[in-house]
Amino acid sequence: MARFGLPSLLCTLALISAELLAAELKSKSCSEVRRLYVSKGFNKNDAPLHEINGDHLKICPQGYTCCSQEMEEKYSLQSKDDFKSVVSEQCNNLQAVFDSRYKKFDEFFKELLENAEKSLNDMFVKTYGHLYMQNSELFKDLFVELKQYYVVGNVNLEEMLNDFWARLLERMFRLVNSQYHFTDDYLECVSKYTEQLKPFGDVPRKLKLQVTRAFVAARTFAQGLAVARDVVSKVSVINPTAQCTHALLKMIYCSHCQGLVTVKPCYNYCSNIMRGCLANQGDLDFEWNNFIDAMLMVAERLEGPFNIESVMDPIDVKISDAIMNMQDNSVQVSQKVFQGCGPPKPVPAGRISRSISESTFSARFRPHHPEERPTTAAGTSLDRLVTDVKEKLKQAKKFWSSLPSNVCNDERMAAGNVNEDDCWNGKAKSRYLFAVTGNGLVNQGNNPEVQVDTSKPDGVILRQIMALRVMTSKMKNAYNGNDVDFFDIKIADENSGEGSGSGCEYQQCISEIEYNATDHAGKSANDKADSAGTCPGAQPCLLAVLCILFLLVMQREWR
């Protein structure tokens, strides 16, 4: 018996040592959890030094754990913050791209107009001298209206340009026939012959077409950059649901409760949770991609026939050519006007303020070379600006459908695809076995990680979808050379409920989804969210029908 006593004693000591070693290891494991917990600014008294029974845990796996109830609650809040932080970083980067490009385009267009006006003024002073100075307000008004159109949009370019040429004809007709006195009624008769006689040649028709297309494309493109910026800004403000928060806690911090502080979530596991938490954002992708495609189409026009720089740079030369044409054909034009409107009354000899020779225009401008592109506006050119933005637009395509993957690619959120067997799957350190669900709300019914109510689309997302649709329609009109109605349209305040807005057909409602690039105060109109208004006039029945049709269409899309 004695000779079996020593081995037995050694075995007993070995067992005791093993138990002590295991306890020590458990203590070390919880100590590391405690250290990381405190490093986040939490109270160290919440964290146990040794494993405890985990029956108190509501989300994380129960059993022996390093997490107290207080730790689980605080980890839950922390997981929401971590998620929102990573998503915000992704969105803020995109928002900054559109914001910086919008500001650059806006600066360029405004400076381009300033330079064109200054160039015309300087050259007309040298060319026409006192006669121009006496009539300079006519040209100042032209640029005021062009700037007004770009900034606010409530200018009919075609009517404005027609009015400019009519007023210029009135001044010119008086100058080339200064020996006569013309009443307002007589000059109104003269204006009726403008289209027939074409006193300025073909310049007004060509310039009207060029200016209208270029300004519509330029303003619409700048508006599009502002819309993209504001949509990203609104969508990036995320408030995770309770189900999403539970999944985030389970993914990011429940592994800590088991002492696995260095093990990151499996990539596919993260993907399912992100697609569930970002389901509504995924529904933006279709309209977002259509919008990006429309922006790229308008960009091509800006590089080609609708280049506002190539229109505004020689505008002084074109107007001067028109004036010279009027001077060269003044005799024929005057004779035909006199035939149609009647002979004018001569000015009494003593009241003639200037001779005919004093009122003629003899000087001409320098030749214009279209290939000479100025680089003075904002220190760049339209070609360089458009080339840069096109590249950014292409990169931004499919942003919303790629967002879950991009979040999971962040090393703070998940392990890489290469660590499929050495990652946290929500229960243990092991391979994640579930398939990854699709993007968007409709695909979340079978999401194994996040319970998503697929019957309730998010109101904020719906409003941004409508904003993108409206802007895409305007882009297509601008691409086709059609003027765009930039009347005031508002987006319903996000705090007014979860509805999808007024639902009216956008060309028939006064109060709709509009993102004016700047208002009089220089702020984005999308930042001044207003509740959806009503359709104008005495057609309430039509409004009701349109709104009902919209709701039916949207309901069908939600399914």
Side-chain angles (χ1 to χ4, degrees):
M1 293 292 294
R3 59 180 176 175
F4 292 105
L6 182 59
S8 177
L9 179 60
L10 291 174
C11 288
T12 301
L13 290 174
L15 288 174
I16 293 173
S17 299
E19 290 177 0
L20 291 173
L21 180 60
E24 183 181 357
L25 289 174
K26 289 179 181 179
S27 176
K28 286 182 179 179
S29 177
C30 285
S31 294
E32 182 64 15
V33 172
R34 192 173 194 247
R35 186 188 67 79
L36 291 174
Y37 179 78
V38 172
S39 69
K40 294 185 178 294
F42 299 133
N43 191 333
K44 67 178 181 179
N45 295 327
D46 296 340
L49 286 172
H50 303 277
E51 285 187 337
I52 58 176
N53 189 293
D55 292 343
H56 55 275
L57 299 180
K58 298 178 180 179
I59 305 300
C60 294
Q62 296 180 342
Y64 283 102
T65 180
C66 290
C67 288
S68 64
Q69 182 177 347
E70 291 79 11
M71 290 177 68
E72 187 180 47
E73 292 172 354
K74 291 178 181 178
Y75 271 149
S76 179
L77 296 175
Q78 185 64 45
S79 63
K80 281 179 61 174
D81 291 342
D82 292 350
F83 166 69
K84 291 163 70 173
S85 176
V86 175
V87 172
S88 292
E89 285 180 17
Q90 296 282 336
C91 294
N92 289 345
N93 290 338
L94 183 63
Q95 181 185 344
V97 167
F98 284 113
D99 185 51
S100 62
R101 270 58 183 184
Y102 163 69
K103 289 179 179 176
K104 195 67 176 178
F105 264 84
D106 187 59
E107 177 189 10
F108 174 81
F109 289 141
K110 289 177 180 176
E111 194 168 322
L112 182 67
L113 290 174
E114 294 288 343
N115 290 348
E117 182 177 13
K118 183 178 184 301
S119 176
L120 184 146
N121 183 73
D122 292 346
M123 300 188 75
F124 272 43
V125 167
K126 294 177 182 178
T127 305
Y128 303 122
H130 185 64
L131 287 176
Y132 167 71
M133 297 299 293
Q134 287 181 318
N135 298 278
S136 61
E137 81 281 353
L138 174 63
F139 301 92
K140 289 180 181 178
D141 290 344
L142 170 65
F143 282 94
V144 166
E145 293 289 339
L146 290 175
K147 293 173 187 175
Q148 175 82 358
Y149 173 80
Y150 174 72
V151 174
V152 182
N154 58 349
V155 174
N156 186 309
L157 289 174
E158 186 171 342
E159 291 181 2
M160 181 270 292
L161 290 170
N162 287 340
D163 181 64
F164 166 76
W165 291 112
R167 292 173 63 195
L168 183 59
L169 174 61
E170 175 187 323
R171 306 292 179 92
M172 288 289 299
F173 196 79
R174 278 176 167 163
L175 288 172
V176 298
N177 295 285
S178 58
Q179 70 274 34
Y180 297 109
H181 171 72
F182 299 102
T183 64
D184 291 340
D185 291 339
Y186 195 95
L187 290 173
E188 185 177 348
C189 179
V190 173
S191 66
K192 295 179 180 178
Y193 284 84
T194 304
E195 188 66 27
Q196 176 185 345
L197 299 177
K198 297 188 184 309
F200 299 111
D202 205 30
V203 173
R205 184 191 65 82
K206 289 182 178 179
L207 192 60
K208 180 166 61 177
L209 182 64
Q210 293 170 347
V211 166
T212 300
R213 289 180 170 180
F215 269 76
V216 168
R219 183 172 194 269
T220 307
F221 195 75
Q223 291 271 314
L225 293 172
V227 167
R229 173 200 64 195
D230 294 343
V231 166
V232 175
S233 175
K234 289 183 178 296
V235 174
S236 64
V237 180
I238 297 175
N239 186 25
T241 63
Q243 292 79 10
C244 170
T245 302
H246 291 167
L248 291 169
L249 166 62
K250 190 176 178 183
M251 180 185 88
I252 302 175
Y253 289 111
C254 282
S255 58
H256 288 209
C257 296
Q258 295 194 14
L260 304 173
V261 293
T262 61
V263 179
K264 296 181 180 180
C266 300
Y267 184 83
N268 287 348
Y269 175 44
C270 174
S271 296
N272 271 335
I273 292 177
M274 291 305 122
R275 295 192 181 200
C277 292
L278 298 171
N280 285 286
Q281 282 73 14
D283 284 341
L284 270 174
D285 208 54
F286 179 77
E287 292 299 338
W288 176 264
N289 292 338
N290 286 342
F291 166 77
I292 295 294
D293 288 339
M295 287 281 288
L296 289 169
M297 290 168 59
V298 175
E300 291 179 5
R301 292 295 205 206
L302 287 174
E303 290 179 315
F306 298 174
N307 188 312
I308 192 173
E309 192 173 20
S310 64
V311 171
M312 293 308 298
D313 180 36
I315 195 170
D316 47 7
V317 178
K318 293 177 182 179
I319 294 176
S320 180
D321 287 344
I323 292 173
M324 296 303 173
N325 193 81
M326 171 66 183
Q327 178 194 3
D328 293 342
N329 299 291
S330 61
V331 175
Q332 299 92 318
V333 170
S334 297
Q335 288 176 349
K336 291 181 180 179
V337 169
F338 295 160
Q339 291 175 3
C341 298
K345 295 180 180 180
V347 175
R351 297 178 58 187
I352 297 178
S353 60
R354 65 177 64 86
S355 67
I356 296 176
S357 62
E358 288 176 326
S359 64
T360 56
F361 299 83
S362 57
R364 289 183 181 272
F365 279 3
R366 58 175 171 75
H368 173 67
H369 301 286
E371 67 272 11
E372 293 179 1
R373 292 291 180 85
T375 58
T376 54
T380 185
S381 70
L382 186 62
D383 289 339
R384 287 194 285 270
L385 284 175
V386 172
T387 298
D388 172 65
V389 172
K390 282 173 62 179
E391 185 63 29
K392 300 303 181 184
L393 287 169
K394 291 174 183 176
Q395 294 173 4
K397 198 169 182 182
K398 297 184 178 180
F399 174 82
W400 302 106
S401 60
S402 302
L403 184 57
S405 298
N406 289 335
V407 171
C408 291
N409 284 331
D410 191 303
E411 63 180 7
R412 293 169 294 177
M413 299 299 290
N417 285 321
V418 296
N419 298 322
E420 294 182 1
D421 292 318
D422 194 26
C423 54
W424 172 253
N425 65 10
K427 296 180 179 178
K429 181 181 176 182
S430 183
R431 176 181 287 267
Y432 183 72
L433 300 177
F434 292 101
V436 177
T437 62
N439 279 299
L441 197 61
V442 71
N443 291 314
Q444 302 312 309
N446 295 320
N447 191 313
E449 304 303 334
V450 186
Q451 293 181 5
V452 180
D453 187 348
T454 58
S455 67
K456 292 183 179 180
D458 183 82
V460 174
I461 300 297
L462 292 179
R463 285 188 283 275
Q464 305 318 306
I465 288 174
M466 182 57 69
L468 292 170
R469 285 181 182 171
V470 171
M471 201 64 224
T472 299
S473 178
K474 292 179 180 180
M475 287 287 173
K476 291 179 179 178
N477 282 333
Y479 174 80
N480 292 322
N482 301 325
D483 202 353
V484 179
D485 293 327
F486 281 101
F487 42 80
D488 285 339
I489 312 171
K490 306 291 184 182
I491 291 187
D493 193 335
E494 270 70 7
N495 296 326
S496 64
E498 291 300 307
S500 57
S502 67
C504 296
E505 193 69 25
Y506 87 94
Q507 288 183 338
Q508 302 196 20
C509 285
I510 291 178
S511 182
E512 271 188 311
I513 305 165
E514 166 74 344
Y515 292 80
N516 282 330
T518 55
D519 59 12
H520 295 291
K523 296 179 180 179
S524 167
N526 190 32
D527 292 335
K528 302 183 296 178
D530 194 6
S531 58
T534 58
C535 291
Q539 297 186 15
C541 292
L542 176 60
L543 169 63
V545 171
L546 289 172
C547 292
I548 291 171
L549 286 174
F550 171 81
L551 290 174
L552 290 174
V553 171
M554 292 304 294
Q555 184 181 29
R556 182 177 181 183
E557 288 186 2
W558 295 343
R559 292 176 180 173

XYZ file of all heavy atoms in Angstrom, residues 183-213:
257
model
N -42.393 107.001 -81.482
C -43.209 106.801 -80.278
C -43.091 105.353 -79.830
O -42.606 104.487 -80.565
C -44.674 107.133 -80.560
O -45.174 106.204 -81.536
C -44.840 108.556 -81.078
N -43.567 105.077 -78.638
C -43.556 103.701 -78.133
C -44.406 102.792 -79.013
O -44.047 101.625 -79.241
C -44.058 103.682 -76.685
C -43.088 104.338 -75.725
O -41.898 104.467 -76.087
O -43.523 104.716 -74.608
N -45.533 103.312 -79.486
C -46.402 102.515 -80.370
C -45.686 102.179 -81.669
O -45.825 101.062 -82.197
C -47.700 103.275 -80.662
C -48.596 103.381 -79.437
O -48.418 102.560 -78.512
O -49.459 104.266 -79.412
N -44.916 103.123 -82.171
C -44.201 102.876 -83.421
C -43.130 101.802 -83.213
O -42.957 100.910 -84.039
C -43.562 104.170 -83.921
C -43.117 104.087 -85.373
C -43.933 104.536 -86.402
C -41.872 103.538 -85.709
C -43.536 104.443 -87.738
C -41.460 103.439 -87.026
C -42.304 103.899 -88.041
O -41.908 103.777 -89.362
N -42.408 101.909 -82.101
C -41.368 100.913 -81.822
C -41.958 99.524 -81.587
O -41.337 98.514 -81.902
C -40.548 101.348 -80.603
C -39.652 102.563 -80.817
C -39.026 103.001 -79.511
C -38.571 102.260 -81.852
N -43.166 99.477 -81.033
C -43.845 98.188 -80.871
C -44.154 97.582 -82.228
O -44.057 96.369 -82.416
C -45.125 98.380 -80.060
C -45.837 97.069 -79.750
C -47.068 97.267 -78.886
O -47.240 98.380 -78.333
O -47.862 96.315 -78.764
N -44.516 98.458 -83.181
C -44.738 97.973 -84.550
C -43.440 97.456 -85.159
O -43.431 96.438 -85.856
C -45.312 99.112 -85.409
S -45.614 98.651 -87.137
N -42.331 98.139 -84.860
C -41.029 97.703 -85.373
C -40.710 96.290 -84.897
O -40.224 95.450 -85.660
C -39.925 98.681 -84.932
C -38.543 98.135 -85.313
C -40.127 100.055 -85.563
N -40.998 96.028 -83.625
C -40.671 94.714 -83.050
C -41.432 93.578 -83.732
O -40.957 92.441 -83.746
C -40.963 94.720 -81.551
O -42.354 94.864 -81.309
N -42.572 93.903 -84.316
C -43.356 92.864 -85.004
C -42.668 92.379 -86.270
O -42.967 91.303 -86.766
C -44.751 93.398 -85.333
C -45.596 93.701 -84.109
C -46.962 94.254 -84.496
C -47.803 94.565 -83.254
N -49.114 95.143 -83.607
N -41.754 93.194 -86.798
C -41.040 92.832 -88.028
C -39.704 92.140 -87.743
O -38.975 91.803 -88.657
C -40.792 94.080 -88.877
C -42.031 94.577 -89.605
C -42.944 95.392 -88.970
C -42.278 94.191 -90.921
C -44.088 95.847 -89.620
C -43.416 94.640 -91.584
C -44.320 95.460 -90.931
O -45.454 95.882 -91.582
N -39.402 91.933 -86.445
C -38.101 91.366 -86.075
C -37.873 89.994 -86.699
O -36.829 89.722 -87.301
C -37.979 91.266 -84.543
O -38.190 92.558 -83.971
C -36.609 90.743 -84.147
N -38.834 89.114 -86.547
C -38.699 87.755 -87.062
C -38.615 87.750 -88.583
O -37.861 86.964 -89.175
C -39.881 86.903 -86.580
C -39.744 85.419 -86.895
C -38.598 84.759 -86.148
O -38.234 85.257 -85.051
O -38.058 83.763 -86.650
N -39.402 88.610 -89.218
C -39.447 88.637 -90.685
C -38.178 89.247 -91.285
O -37.615 88.722 -92.238
C -40.671 89.433 -91.139
C -40.771 89.623 -92.651
C -41.928 90.521 -93.028
O -42.815 90.776 -92.221
N -41.913 91.019 -94.255
N -37.713 90.352 -90.703
C -36.589 91.084 -91.275
C -35.237 90.557 -90.815
O -34.229 90.782 -91.486
C -36.705 92.568 -90.903
C -37.955 93.286 -91.410
C -37.979 94.718 -90.910
C -38.009 93.259 -92.944
N -35.185 89.910 -89.655
C -33.932 89.404 -89.082
C -32.839 90.475 -89.130
O -31.797 90.296 -89.780
C -33.467 88.144 -89.812
C -34.426 86.981 -89.694
C -33.832 85.717 -90.254
C -34.814 84.557 -90.231
N -35.463 84.319 -88.962
N -33.065 91.599 -88.436
C -32.092 92.695 -88.494
C -30.719 92.328 -87.948
O -29.715 92.924 -88.333
C -32.740 93.784 -87.647
C -33.676 93.062 -86.729
C -34.184 91.904 -87.531
N -30.646 91.337 -87.041
C -29.373 90.921 -86.468
C -28.838 89.647 -87.124
O -27.950 88.996 -86.579
C -29.526 90.697 -84.965
C -29.936 91.934 -84.206
C -31.189 92.028 -83.624
C -29.071 93.003 -84.097
C -31.569 93.162 -82.934
C -29.434 94.144 -83.397
C -30.688 94.236 -82.826
N -29.380 89.293 -88.256
C -28.956 88.078 -88.930
C -29.434 86.837 -88.188
O -30.499 86.837 -87.556
N -28.643 85.790 -88.238
C -29.023 84.525 -87.602
C -28.450 84.400 -86.188
O -28.615 83.364 -85.542
C -28.537 83.358 -88.469
C -29.373 82.092 -88.246
O -30.578 82.230 -87.920
O -28.825 80.983 -88.378
N -27.768 85.442 -85.709
C -27.123 85.381 -84.394
C -28.127 85.144 -83.270
O -27.893 84.274 -82.412
C -26.303 86.658 -84.129
C -25.772 86.668 -82.691
C -25.143 86.752 -85.107
N -29.255 85.885 -83.195
C -30.183 85.643 -82.084
C -30.693 84.210 -82.008
O -30.784 83.634 -80.917
C -31.329 86.622 -82.377
C -30.682 87.720 -83.144
C -29.669 87.044 -84.013
N -31.020 83.622 -83.147
C -31.541 82.246 -83.140
C -30.486 81.272 -82.646
O -30.746 80.432 -81.780
C -32.002 81.852 -84.540
C -32.643 80.459 -84.601
C -32.837 79.984 -86.035
N -31.572 79.779 -86.713
C -30.833 78.662 -86.584
N -31.246 77.675 -85.794
N -29.700 78.538 -87.245
N -29.266 81.383 -83.189
C -28.205 80.463 -82.795
C -27.820 80.657 -81.329
O -27.629 79.687 -80.588
C -26.978 80.665 -83.679
C -27.162 80.185 -85.111
C -25.880 80.378 -85.912
C -26.029 79.849 -87.336
N -24.792 80.056 -88.133
N -27.700 81.924 -80.916
C -27.280 82.183 -79.542
C -28.338 81.731 -78.548
O -28.008 81.212 -77.475
C -26.989 83.674 -79.364
C -26.263 84.062 -78.075
C -24.902 83.374 -77.996
C -26.091 85.576 -77.990
N -29.590 81.920 -78.896
C -30.668 81.473 -78.014
C -30.615 79.964 -77.822
O -30.755 79.461 -76.689
C -32.027 81.887 -78.586
C -33.207 81.467 -77.734
C -34.480 82.189 -78.160
C -34.857 81.886 -79.587
N -36.138 82.553 -79.963
N -30.376 79.237 -78.887
C -30.284 77.777 -78.790
C -29.077 77.368 -77.954
O -29.178 76.513 -77.066
C -30.188 77.182 -80.193
C -30.119 75.655 -80.296
C -31.405 75.019 -79.768
C -29.865 75.217 -81.733
N -27.942 78.009 -78.226
C -26.714 77.652 -77.501
C -26.804 78.000 -76.020
O -26.441 77.189 -75.160
C -25.528 78.373 -78.141
C -25.198 77.908 -79.552
C -24.186 78.812 -80.230
O -23.902 79.919 -79.765
N -23.637 78.350 -81.349
N -27.278 79.200 -75.718
C -27.353 79.641 -74.325
C -28.347 78.789 -73.547
O -28.068 78.347 -72.419
C -27.749 81.133 -74.251
C -28.158 81.506 -72.827
C -26.596 82.002 -74.717
N -29.507 78.528 -74.129
C -30.532 77.752 -73.433
C -30.021 76.360 -73.098
O -30.106 75.901 -71.949
C -31.808 77.663 -74.281
O -32.310 78.973 -74.520
C -32.872 76.837 -73.568
N -29.480 75.677 -74.075
C -28.991 74.309 -73.837
C -27.836 74.291 -72.841
O -27.787 73.436 -71.955
C -28.566 73.677 -75.164
C -29.729 73.339 -76.080
C -29.237 72.712 -77.365
N -30.340 72.172 -78.156
C -30.198 71.564 -79.329
N -28.986 71.413 -79.838
N -31.246 71.098 -79.972
